Amino acid sequence: MYKIVRREAFSPNAFLWEVSAPDIAAAAQPGHFVMLRLHEGGERRRLVSPDEAKILSIRKGNLDATERQEIESHVTHTFHFLQKIPWTKDLSNVANFAYAHHEKLNGRGYPRKLAADAIPIQSRMMTVSDIYDALTANDRPYKRAVPTERALDILKMEMNDGLLDGSLVGVFIEAKVFERAGVLRT
């Protein structure tokens, strides 16, 4: 029999029970989520569904492979959407530029894992701006915006790691493109 240490009510029908179970605790690995079933009079009752258990087992900030693939698919969806637009000759490559905006110079970007020589300069420019925007945006429910100085430091780190075009990051910072676009974050 396990001893109930604490019971906390979150709502009239949702409770957290803290149970002393040293044998179970000893078997768990750091970072693992332990799910137990409640037995009431011999009847087994599920506490959370298998999908809920899967979600609860993901540490904060991590995505599983399916979630990562779904997020990364926006580039391909955008490409297919933009290809349907009857662009003028001068803008005929817009879909291709957008398609490469998550590629990295070292070939570890997505979706096509292009190396530096295959990434158009327009896409490289878009990459720098997109990273800055993602870091400083206030409308992301999954993370807080970072201040401009921190975002610029992150761009420099990615440049130094060989992921971003150094000359374009330099122009972005020196010309204060982020101020001209009205996205200075404090």
Side-chain angles (χ1 to χ4, degrees):
M1 208 57 190
Y2 297 110
K3 179 182 173 191
I4 298 172
V5 178
R6 178 173 65 106
R7 180 177 183 254
E8 184 178 336
F10 293 109
S11 71
N13 58 357
F15 303 93
L16 170 68
W17 289 13
E18 188 176 330
V19 178
S20 176
D23 55 331
I24 294 171
Q29 300 295 315
H32 285 184
F33 171 76
V34 177
M35 184 177 86
L36 304 173
R37 292 185 188 265
L38 177 64
H39 291 264
E40 184 179 306
E43 178 186 336
R44 293 172 63 166
R45 301 177 82 192
R46 186 178 301 227
L47 296 177
V48 294
S49 72
D51 286 340
E52 291 168 329
K54 182 180 174 191
I55 291 167
L56 288 169
S57 68
I58 298 171
R59 292 192 322 227
K60 182 178 179 182
N62 292 330
L63 300 173
D64 67 24
T66 303
E67 291 167 327
R68 166 76 45 207
Q69 186 178 20
E70 182 62 31
I71 287 174
E72 291 179 1
S73 74
H74 83 277
V75 179
T76 303
H77 295 307
T78 299
F79 173 71
H80 291 302
F81 174 78
L82 292 173
Q83 274 191 314
K84 296 176 191 272
I85 296 174
W87 299 99
T88 63
K89 185 177 178 181
D90 290 347
L91 298 175
S92 62
N93 284 315
V94 165
N96 291 320
F97 300 153
Y99 201 23
H101 86 279
H102 278 289
E103 302 290 352
K104 302 293 183 177
L105 299 182
N106 67 356
R108 292 192 171 181
Y110 64 88
R112 296 176 291 164
K113 309 225 178 295
L114 300 177
D117 59 340
I119 304 170
I121 186 97
Q122 296 88 338
S123 300
R124 295 178 189 201
M125 293 165 55
M126 194 174 168
T127 300
V128 173
S129 298
D130 186 57
I131 291 171
Y132 177 84
D133 181 64
L135 291 168
T136 61
N138 290 317
D139 61 352
R140 312 287 166 106
Y142 51 87
K143 68 159 200 67
R144 288 190 176 129
V146 301
T148 292
E149 285 307 312
R150 178 69 183 129
L152 297 178
D153 287 342
I154 291 170
L155 287 172
K156 290 177 198 171
M157 285 189 305
E158 291 210 1
M159 174 190 74
N160 292 334
D161 288 343
L163 304 175
L164 300 177
D165 186 314
S167 60
L168 293 175
V169 172
V171 168
F172 185 84
I173 293 170
E174 293 300 317
K176 298 186 178 187
V177 172
F178 46 91
E179 286 181 4
R180 293 171 187 228
V183 287
L184 179 63
R185 312 280 195 236
T186 57

PDB file of all heavy atoms in Angstrom, residues 16-34:
ATOM      1  N   LEU A  16      -4.490  16.352  -8.046  1.00  0.00           N
ATOM      2  CA  LEU A  16      -3.119  15.858  -8.078  1.00  0.00           C
ATOM      3  C   LEU A  16      -2.888  15.154  -6.753  1.00  0.00           C
ATOM      4  O   LEU A  16      -3.101  15.745  -5.688  1.00  0.00           O
ATOM      5  CB  LEU A  16      -2.121  17.009  -8.235  1.00  0.00           C
ATOM      6  CG  LEU A  16      -0.661  16.621  -8.032  1.00  0.00           C
ATOM      7  CD1 LEU A  16      -0.187  15.716  -9.164  1.00  0.00           C
ATOM      8  CD2 LEU A  16       0.209  17.848  -7.934  1.00  0.00           C
ATOM      9  N   TRP A  17      -2.490  13.912  -6.804  1.00  0.00           N
ATOM     10  CA  TRP A  17      -2.175  13.166  -5.595  1.00  0.00           C
ATOM     11  C   TRP A  17      -0.682  12.920  -5.574  1.00  0.00           C
ATOM     12  O   TRP A  17      -0.124  12.382  -6.517  1.00  0.00           O
ATOM     13  CB  TRP A  17      -2.893  11.819  -5.561  1.00  0.00           C
ATOM     14  CG  TRP A  17      -4.358  11.899  -5.347  1.00  0.00           C
ATOM     15  CD1 TRP A  17      -5.149  13.002  -5.415  1.00  0.00           C
ATOM     16  CD2 TRP A  17      -5.224  10.824  -5.034  1.00  0.00           C
ATOM     17  NE1 TRP A  17      -6.446  12.678  -5.169  1.00  0.00           N
ATOM     18  CE2 TRP A  17      -6.527  11.339  -4.926  1.00  0.00           C
ATOM     19  CE3 TRP A  17      -5.038   9.460  -4.842  1.00  0.00           C
ATOM     20  CZ2 TRP A  17      -7.623  10.548  -4.625  1.00  0.00           C
ATOM     21  CZ3 TRP A  17      -6.132   8.675  -4.537  1.00  0.00           C
ATOM     22  CH2 TRP A  17      -7.410   9.217  -4.426  1.00  0.00           C
ATOM     23  N   GLU A  18      -0.032  13.331  -4.510  1.00  0.00           N
ATOM     24  CA  GLU A  18       1.374  13.019  -4.320  1.00  0.00           C
ATOM     25  C   GLU A  18       1.426  11.783  -3.431  1.00  0.00           C
ATOM     26  O   GLU A  18       0.871  11.762  -2.336  1.00  0.00           O
ATOM     27  CB  GLU A  18       2.088  14.196  -3.654  1.00  0.00           C
ATOM     28  CG  GLU A  18       3.570  14.026  -3.595  1.00  0.00           C
ATOM     29  CD  GLU A  18       4.255  15.261  -3.023  1.00  0.00           C
ATOM     30  OE1 GLU A  18       3.722  16.376  -3.195  1.00  0.00           O
ATOM     31  OE2 GLU A  18       5.304  15.094  -2.398  1.00  0.00           O
ATOM     32  N   VAL A  19       2.066  10.750  -3.953  1.00  0.00           N
ATOM     33  CA  VAL A  19       2.083   9.457  -3.274  1.00  0.00           C
ATOM     34  C   VAL A  19       3.527   9.067  -2.977  1.00  0.00           C
ATOM     35  O   VAL A  19       4.407   9.228  -3.823  1.00  0.00           O
ATOM     36  CB  VAL A  19       1.424   8.372  -4.165  1.00  0.00           C
ATOM     37  CG1 VAL A  19       1.472   7.013  -3.510  1.00  0.00           C
ATOM     38  CG2 VAL A  19      -0.006   8.763  -4.500  1.00  0.00           C
ATOM     39  N   SER A  20       3.750   8.563  -1.781  1.00  0.00           N
ATOM     40  CA  SER A  20       5.061   8.048  -1.434  1.00  0.00           C
ATOM     41  C   SER A  20       5.179   6.637  -2.007  1.00  0.00           C
ATOM     42  O   SER A  20       4.483   5.716  -1.580  1.00  0.00           O
ATOM     43  CB  SER A  20       5.239   8.027   0.089  1.00  0.00           C
ATOM     44  OG  SER A  20       6.474   7.440   0.423  1.00  0.00           O
ATOM     45  N   ALA A  21       6.033   6.476  -3.011  1.00  0.00           N
ATOM     46  CA  ALA A  21       6.220   5.180  -3.667  1.00  0.00           C
ATOM     47  C   ALA A  21       7.693   5.019  -4.012  1.00  0.00           C
ATOM     48  O   ALA A  21       8.096   5.127  -5.167  1.00  0.00           O
ATOM     49  CB  ALA A  21       5.353   5.098  -4.906  1.00  0.00           C
ATOM     50  N   PRO A  22       8.547   4.791  -2.998  1.00  0.00           N
ATOM     51  CA  PRO A  22       9.988   4.755  -3.235  1.00  0.00           C
ATOM     52  C   PRO A  22      10.429   3.706  -4.254  1.00  0.00           C
ATOM     53  O   PRO A  22      11.371   3.940  -5.008  1.00  0.00           O
ATOM     54  CB  PRO A  22      10.587   4.467  -1.865  1.00  0.00           C
ATOM     55  CG  PRO A  22       9.462   4.285  -0.919  1.00  0.00           C
ATOM     56  CD  PRO A  22       8.190   4.588  -1.615  1.00  0.00           C
ATOM     57  N   ASP A  23       9.741   2.563  -4.325  1.00  0.00           N
ATOM     58  CA  ASP A  23      10.134   1.540  -5.286  1.00  0.00           C
ATOM     59  C   ASP A  23       9.898   1.997  -6.726  1.00  0.00           C
ATOM     60  O   ASP A  23      10.706   1.761  -7.612  1.00  0.00           O
ATOM     61  CB  ASP A  23       9.412   0.214  -5.006  1.00  0.00           C
ATOM     62  CG  ASP A  23       7.893   0.360  -4.966  1.00  0.00           C
ATOM     63  OD1 ASP A  23       7.407   1.459  -4.611  1.00  0.00           O
ATOM     64  OD2 ASP A  23       7.199  -0.618  -5.285  1.00  0.00           O
ATOM     65  N   ILE A  24       8.805   2.707  -6.946  1.00  0.00           N
ATOM     66  CA  ILE A  24       8.509   3.233  -8.285  1.00  0.00           C
ATOM     67  C   ILE A  24       9.467   4.380  -8.608  1.00  0.00           C
ATOM     68  O   ILE A  24      10.028   4.447  -9.699  1.00  0.00           O
ATOM     69  CB  ILE A  24       7.044   3.705  -8.385  1.00  0.00           C
ATOM     70  CG1 ILE A  24       6.111   2.491  -8.241  1.00  0.00           C
ATOM     71  CG2 ILE A  24       6.799   4.435  -9.705  1.00  0.00           C
ATOM     72  CD1 ILE A  24       4.656   2.849  -8.112  1.00  0.00           C
ATOM     73  N   ALA A  25       9.691   5.270  -7.650  1.00  0.00           N
ATOM     74  CA  ALA A  25      10.589   6.406  -7.860  1.00  0.00           C
ATOM     75  C   ALA A  25      11.999   5.931  -8.182  1.00  0.00           C
ATOM     76  O   ALA A  25      12.685   6.501  -9.033  1.00  0.00           O
ATOM     77  CB  ALA A  25      10.586   7.307  -6.634  1.00  0.00           C
ATOM     78  N   ALA A  26      12.457   4.872  -7.532  1.00  0.00           N
ATOM     79  CA  ALA A  26      13.804   4.361  -7.766  1.00  0.00           C
ATOM     80  C   ALA A  26      13.945   3.782  -9.173  1.00  0.00           C
ATOM     81  O   ALA A  26      15.027   3.814  -9.763  1.00  0.00           O
ATOM     82  CB  ALA A  26      14.152   3.304  -6.723  1.00  0.00           C
ATOM     83  N   ALA A  27      12.852   3.251  -9.732  1.00  0.00           N
ATOM     84  CA  ALA A  27      12.894   2.644 -11.063  1.00  0.00           C
ATOM     85  C   ALA A  27      12.853   3.688 -12.179  1.00  0.00           C
ATOM     86  O   ALA A  27      13.257   3.410 -13.302  1.00  0.00           O
ATOM     87  CB  ALA A  27      11.731   1.668 -11.231  1.00  0.00           C
ATOM     88  N   ALA A  28      12.367   4.880 -11.884  1.00  0.00           N
ATOM     89  CA  ALA A  28      12.247   5.932 -12.905  1.00  0.00           C
ATOM     90  C   ALA A  28      13.609   6.551 -13.192  1.00  0.00           C
ATOM     91  O   ALA A  28      14.441   6.690 -12.306  1.00  0.00           O
ATOM     92  CB  ALA A  28      11.272   6.999 -12.444  1.00  0.00           C
ATOM     93  N   GLN A  29      13.818   6.930 -14.430  1.00  0.00           N
ATOM     94  CA  GLN A  29      15.048   7.593 -14.843  1.00  0.00           C
ATOM     95  C   GLN A  29      14.833   9.113 -14.815  1.00  0.00           C
ATOM     96  O   GLN A  29      13.715   9.579 -15.007  1.00  0.00           O
ATOM     97  CB  GLN A  29      15.420   7.162 -16.266  1.00  0.00           C
ATOM     98  CG  GLN A  29      15.654   5.677 -16.407  1.00  0.00           C
ATOM     99  CD  GLN A  29      16.862   5.226 -15.616  1.00  0.00           C
ATOM    100  OE1 GLN A  29      17.904   5.864 -15.656  1.00  0.00           O
ATOM    101  NE2 GLN A  29      16.714   4.142 -14.874  1.00  0.00           N
ATOM    102  N   PRO A  30      15.896   9.896 -14.606  1.00  0.00           N
ATOM    103  CA  PRO A  30      15.735  11.357 -14.642  1.00  0.00           C
ATOM    104  C   PRO A  30      15.128  11.802 -15.968  1.00  0.00           C
ATOM    105  O   PRO A  30      15.507  11.318 -17.025  1.00  0.00           O
ATOM    106  CB  PRO A  30      17.178  11.874 -14.502  1.00  0.00           C
ATOM    107  CG  PRO A  30      17.915  10.749 -13.843  1.00  0.00           C
ATOM    108  CD  PRO A  30      17.263   9.488 -14.319  1.00  0.00           C
ATOM    109  N   GLY A  31      14.164  12.697 -15.890  1.00  0.00           N
ATOM    110  CA  GLY A  31      13.503  13.217 -17.081  1.00  0.00           C
ATOM    111  C   GLY A  31      12.354  12.362 -17.570  1.00  0.00           C
ATOM    112  O   GLY A  31      11.667  12.727 -18.502  1.00  0.00           O
ATOM    113  N   HIS A  32      12.124  11.210 -16.959  1.00  0.00           N
ATOM    114  CA  HIS A  32      11.014  10.351 -17.365  1.00  0.00           C
ATOM    115  C   HIS A  32       9.736  10.758 -16.654  1.00  0.00           C
ATOM    116  O   HIS A  32       9.763  11.265 -15.539  1.00  0.00           O
ATOM    117  CB  HIS A  32      11.301   8.882 -17.032  1.00  0.00           C
ATOM    118  CG  HIS A  32      12.288   8.260 -17.963  1.00  0.00           C
ATOM    119  ND1 HIS A  32      12.631   6.950 -17.904  1.00  0.00           N
ATOM    120  CD2 HIS A  32      13.014   8.773 -18.982  1.00  0.00           C
ATOM    121  CE1 HIS A  32      13.510   6.673 -18.832  1.00  0.00           C
ATOM    122  NE2 HIS A  32      13.765   7.776 -19.495  1.00  0.00           N
ATOM    123  N   PHE A  33       8.623  10.517 -17.301  1.00  0.00           N
ATOM    124  CA  PHE A  33       7.305  10.765 -16.730  1.00  0.00           C
ATOM    125  C   PHE A  33       6.748   9.413 -16.320  1.00  0.00           C
ATOM    126  O   PHE A  33       6.754   8.467 -17.108  1.00  0.00           O
ATOM    127  CB  PHE A  33       6.401  11.427 -17.775  1.00  0.00           C
ATOM    128  CG  PHE A  33       4.969  11.536 -17.362  1.00  0.00           C
ATOM    129  CD1 PHE A  33       4.582  12.496 -16.440  1.00  0.00           C
ATOM    130  CD2 PHE A  33       4.009  10.701 -17.880  1.00  0.00           C
ATOM    131  CE1 PHE A  33       3.263  12.612 -16.054  1.00  0.00           C
ATOM    132  CE2 PHE A  33       2.693  10.803 -17.508  1.00  0.00           C
ATOM    133  CZ  PHE A  33       2.322  11.768 -16.586  1.00  0.00           C
ATOM    134  N   VAL A  34       6.299   9.306 -15.086  1.00  0.00           N
ATOM    135  CA  VAL A  34       5.738   8.048 -14.591  1.00  0.00           C
ATOM    136  C   VAL A  34       4.222   8.196 -14.546  1.00  0.00           C
ATOM    137  O   VAL A  34       3.702   9.122 -13.940  1.00  0.00           O
ATOM    138  CB  VAL A  34       6.285   7.704 -13.184  1.00  0.00           C
ATOM    139  CG1 VAL A  34       5.637   6.437 -12.650  1.00  0.00           C
ATOM    140  CG2 VAL A  34       7.792   7.574 -13.232  1.00  0.00           C
TER     141      VAL A  34
END
